[in-house]
Each structure stands twice: as C-alpha cells, then as structure tokens.
Amino acid sequence: MSAPLPFDPIAAAQRNWEDQGWTAEAAPMAAITAVMRAQQILLQRCEAVVKPFGLTFARYELLALLGFSRTGSLPMVKVSALLQVHPTSVTNAVDRLQRAGYVQRSPHPTDGRTTLVSLTGRGRDVAERTTAELNSAVFSAPGFPPEDITALIRILGRFREQAGDFAGGTAG
C-alpha cells in the first residue's frame, strides 16, 4: 500500500467538475466515485483475508451461501441469482472450488435440466475457518462507526431496491 495522498482526489475531482460548470453533477459524481473507491478498499481487505485459504472473495461467497442453505446444496441457477452474478461466473467459480475439493456437482434428483452444487466437508471446514477470520479481521472493525453502518445499509438498500436489485424492502 502506498502512502496516503496529501489531499482527497475525489474532492479535487468534484471541484474540477464545478469549475467546468457541471455544478449539479459534481456532488453526485463525487458520491459515486467515493462509493466505488470504498468498494475497492473493502474488497482488498477481504481478499487479503481469504487469500491464505486459497480463495477469492467471490469463491468464499459461494461457499458461504451453500453453508447457509438447509442442505448445503443449491441449483447452480439459484446460486447465480442469489449472488447476483452471471451464470458463467458461477460455473467458473464452481470449477475452481470443485478442483480444490470444496464443492461437487450432481444432477438434480427430480429435474434433469438442473445441476446442483453441494458443499463438501472440506468446503464447509474452509468456509467456517474463512468466516471466522473475516469476522475477526474485517467485519468486526469495518472502519465505520455503528451509526454510519446503519445509515449505509439503509441508503444503499434503498438505492439497490430502486435500481431493481430486489423488491419488497427486506432481505429474503
């Protein structure tokens, strides 16, 4: 990680936008850019934690999702929908997790068109150990005070709902 900049480049960009006469767009541009930069920072923190386990954060999310399912198994199409990623990305993640021995594919017992992906014992173990480390190293100290966390969940949840990410106002 390089040394911090002596100024906020997003605030500087906002001033540049304003100087160009894009006053109405300046603050929204700064907010969007700040959210994207925050996402990069948070993802870097998470990736640093999951890397020693031989995972990426995306693959960890898939293992965690399976771990939360009632049976440790879900149709691949449902994994894609719940993780909100393209089916090709799920296929690639499952391929790598399967090679590592963390998941296995099997035909659905009643729908021949559907493939199930299931957590193995080894996958459950690595998911549990990775979750404990993420909880300790990242989620317990995210860098936001509790009142900001609550506000972020509300603000970003409302934005995501309005963008069509989900409907109904609450998590599944």
Side-chain angles (χ1 to χ4, degrees):
M1 185 87 174
S2 61
L5 293 172
F7 64 92
D8 182 351
I10 295 172
Q14 182 175 353
R15 285 189 301 277
N16 289 335
W17 240 248
E18 291 165 350
D19 291 347
Q20 292 297 314
W22 304 321
T23 308
E25 296 86 355
M29 177 281 303
I32 290 166
T33 304
V35 167
M36 290 191 287
R37 179 61 186 136
Q39 187 269 346
Q40 291 172 336
I41 293 166
L42 295 170
L43 185 58
Q44 286 172 349
R45 290 179 184 172
C46 291
E47 291 287 355
V49 170
V50 302
K51 186 176 183 178
F53 294 96
L55 297 171
T56 62
F57 192 68
R59 288 185 214 131
Y60 162 75
E61 286 181 301
L62 197 153
L63 292 177
L65 176 64
L66 292 173
F68 287 129
S69 70
R70 282 190 310 272
T71 63
S73 180
L74 289 169
M76 286 187 54
V77 68
K78 179 130 184 170
V79 170
S80 176
L82 292 172
L83 293 179
Q84 298 175 301
V85 297
H86 193 275
T88 302
S89 297
V90 171
T91 298
N92 291 337
V94 169
D95 287 346
R96 290 184 180 249
L97 291 169
Q98 190 168 15
R99 282 195 296 272
Y102 297 152
V103 300
Q104 60 187 17
R105 285 181 174 94
S106 61
H108 191 283
T110 60
D111 183 352
R113 300 166 296 165
T114 301
T115 299
L116 295 175
V117 59
S118 304
L119 201 54
T120 64
R122 188 170 171 209
R124 185 173 301 283
D125 176 64
V126 78
E128 288 172 359
R129 290 186 295 120
T130 306
T131 299
E133 191 61 29
L134 280 166
N135 281 340
S136 173
V138 179
F139 301 145
S140 67
F144 302 103
E147 61 275 10
D148 286 357
I149 297 266
T150 302
L152 279 169
I153 291 168
R154 182 181 43 77
I155 291 164
L156 296 174
R158 187 173 54 237
F159 171 82
R160 292 175 37 245
E161 183 177 17
Q162 290 170 353
D165 214 24
F166 65 96
T170 61

